[in-house]
């Protein structure tokens, strides 16, 4: 009877050790997944910020303002060209 109790205890000890090894492996994998999720979350936030900047740059109001600015600059260039042509004549 003592032999059977000792062998049952040895088997239980071995099974507990195997379960602990599996648990440590699972914890390591979960930590790695957590790191990957954090990196992906950071990347998504960064891309979201970039998209928001692009949306702001391409908003109708911004495009209209830039178009007016370009037209004003073109008008100034045309005026300067006319003034230079008058001076040459």
């Amino acid at each position: 009877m003592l032999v059977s109790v000792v062998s049952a205890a040895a088997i239980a000890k071995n099974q507990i050790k195997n379960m602990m090894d599996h648990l440590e492996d699972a914890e390591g994998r979960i930590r790695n997944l957590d790191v990957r999720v954090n990196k992906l979350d950071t990347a998504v936030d960064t891309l979201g910020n970039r998209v928001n900047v692009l949306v702001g740059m391409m908003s109708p109001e911004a495009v209209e303002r830039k178009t007016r600015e370009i037209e004003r600059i073109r008008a100034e260039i045309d005026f300067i060209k006319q003034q230079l042509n008058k001076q040459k004549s």
Side-chain angles (χ1 to χ4, degrees), residues 1-11:
M1 179 157 166
L2 181 64
V3 172
S4 108
V5 170
V6 169
S7 74
I11 290 171

Side-chain angles (χ1 to χ4, degrees), residues 20-89:
M20 292 299 291
D21 290 343
H22 288 294
L23 180 61
E24 286 176 15
D25 181 52
E27 286 175 343
R29 290 180 185 197
I30 289 172
R31 270 189 237 102
N32 289 339
L33 288 172
D34 189 44
V35 168
R36 289 178 61 195
V37 166
N38 286 341
K39 287 180 181 178
L40 289 172
D41 191 39
T42 301
V44 166
D45 286 343
T46 301
L47 290 173
N49 289 338
R50 289 179 182 175
V51 167
N52 287 337
V53 168
L54 291 173
V55 165
M57 289 170 55
M58 297 306 295
S59 72
E61 296 84 15
V63 171
E64 182 181 346
R65 187 179 68 248
K66 293 289 185 187
T67 302
R68 284 194 310 262
E69 184 179 346
I70 290 169
E71 287 303 317
R72 184 179 45 79
I73 291 169
R74 285 182 179 167
E76 289 175 2
I77 290 171
D78 288 342
F79 177 76
I80 292 169
K81 283 180 182 178
Q82 288 173 359
Q83 295 299 318
L84 288 174
N85 287 336
K86 285 182 183 178
Q87 287 179 358
K88 286 182 183 177
S89 305

